[in-house]
Amino acid sequence: MKMMSSTSNSRQGRIWTHRPFQVTPASTATTTNPSISHCPLPTKTPTPPLENRIHSVYQSAGPVALEQLCQSKQEFYKTQFSSRVATEEVDRIRKRKLSSSSSSREVDVTVYLPKVKPHNTKLNGICLHVHGGGWIWGDSQYQVAHRCLEMTESMNVAVVSVEYSLASTICNDNGQIFDPVNEVVTALDWIENIGADELNTKSVYVASGESSGAQLLLLAMLKRRDRTDGMPSLTSTWKCLNLVYGFYDLSGTPAMRADGNDSSPICGNELLCMADLYCEKILQEGNHDEQYKKKIDRQHPSISPMYANLSNLPPALISVGTADPLLDDSLFLANRYSICGNDVETVLYEGGEHGIGHFGLQEDDEMGRRAREYTLQFMNRYLEEHDTC
């Protein structure tokens, strides 16, 4: 299956929006037809040399070379932070540790706040954010600060972005073992229990994750849903999920496997390599024997949320570009999300590559900007619905 792509901006690209279930809770409508809008096709990323692809680096030079690649990526993020975050905005960014009453673990987060409002008015709520990076790079500050600041200002919320452990390192800087899902759960618990009081917000919560961050966010939400310790229901607490070009089937969908080395800025083989590293790291932390490692089930619901029971989850926006090797992941998940009885909206961006609206050449193309703006509008709808909380 070849991804749809574009080589120029000579014609208008299509944006498909489909609502199998009406997203606006106040409406009595149950279905709508897909709508199509248009804007210029996004810029196509040039194909990098094969030897620079993540899977090639790892296969030819091993973990040390991968670590060096990840460190180089982090230096790039720091440079990006310096150029995209104004000096006066730095005071709105705060690093801190969170702990949960239901767990002994701590997790580092970065909290983003909007500009000071008059009369000490409460913020509209909290947005839990989980960054992408294929579980091997990225962070809650340098990589995403400019976008988290955009989120907090647009929605008038506090954004709590999780600094989860990475598969490319031995452990977090704070010494925690590799356990990113439970680190997201810790942040989620803190938000529900004391986040609104500490950050002076209304008790209204939304969540957003992209790529591997969408996978971790969805797995954390499933853990939270299945809690039996007297916590309120998940859907009564979390108003919506924004799931952006997520990785939901780590065994590899047909689109990903067919993509091979074709797509940019990241291809199917690179994504499969990242999935390998994630699964290997989980097994290393569990001290499993070699025989077990060979038998790991990548379709297990604790690894691939595509195969989980998806009932009783908050309304979701699932968005992806048609030139993304993860296209099938989003299409298949949207179908299952709907079949399980949840409200879901799906948006497809023609020619959109992995990262559209968030990084790379397509971050600030017109279609990329529209993709990002639409996610903010989606979450704002649910915040506004509960603006009396």
Side-chain angles (χ1 to χ4, degrees), residues 240-253:
C240 69
L241 306 181
N242 174 40
L243 303 173
V244 186
Y245 49 79
F247 199 160
Y248 309 117
D249 180 359
L250 274 65
S251 67
T253 62

Side-chain angles (χ1 to χ4, degrees), residues 61-242:
V64 173
L66 182 64
E67 288 285 356
Q68 293 172 345
L69 179 63
C70 293
Q71 290 170 4
S72 174
K73 196 79 169 179
Q74 190 62 19
E75 290 304 313
F76 167 78
Y77 291 141
K78 290 180 179 180
T79 302
Q80 172 183 262
F81 177 88
S82 300
S83 64
R84 304 195 70 167
V85 177
T87 303
E88 61 270 19
E89 293 180 312
V90 174
D91 288 342
R92 294 162 49 201
I93 304 173
R94 303 173 185 176
K95 300 286 289 185
R96 64 175 296 173
K97 288 185 182 292
L98 305 182
S99 59
S100 167
S101 59
S102 63
S103 170
S104 59
R105 74 177 60 250
E106 287 186 330
V107 62
D108 291 320
V109 300
T110 305
V111 178
Y112 298 85
L113 298 171
K115 295 172 185 174
V116 176
K117 305 296 180 182
H119 312 303
N120 198 33
T121 305
K122 282 190 174 184
L123 301 179
N124 290 341
I126 299 175
C127 177
L128 172 64
H129 173 257
V130 190
H131 69 81
W135 309 284
I136 63 172
W137 58 49
D139 70 316
S140 65
Q141 180 179 356
Y142 298 113
Q143 178 196 24
V144 296
H146 59 293
R147 287 191 273 105
C148 287
L149 287 169
E150 179 183 51
M151 291 166 67
T152 188
E153 202 63 37
S154 174
M155 298 189 289
N156 192 36
V157 297
V159 174
V160 177
S161 187
V162 185
E163 189 83 6
Y164 58 85
S165 50
L166 300 176
S168 59
T169 57
I170 297 174
C171 62
N172 265 348
D173 289 341
N174 61 11
Q176 289 183 346
I177 64 171
F178 181 71
D179 194 8
V181 175
N182 281 319
E183 288 160 3
V184 177
V185 171
T186 297
L188 188 154
D189 285 349
W190 180 89
I191 289 172
E192 288 193 40
N193 290 321
I194 60 175
D197 289 337
E198 290 213 14
L199 299 177
N200 192 32
T201 77
K202 298 172 184 177
S203 299
V204 183
Y205 313 124
V206 298
S208 179
E210 57 267 4
S211 193
S212 56
Q215 178 250 11
L216 296 174
L217 174 60
L218 194 48
L219 290 177
M221 286 290 168
L222 290 166
K223 280 201 165 192
R224 165 62 180 84
R225 180 201 62 188
D226 295 338
R227 290 262 289 274
T228 58
D229 56 0
M231 294 286 286
S233 70
L234 179 67
T235 52
S236 70
T237 307
W238 292 87
K239 305 309 176 186
C240 69
L241 306 181
N242 174 40

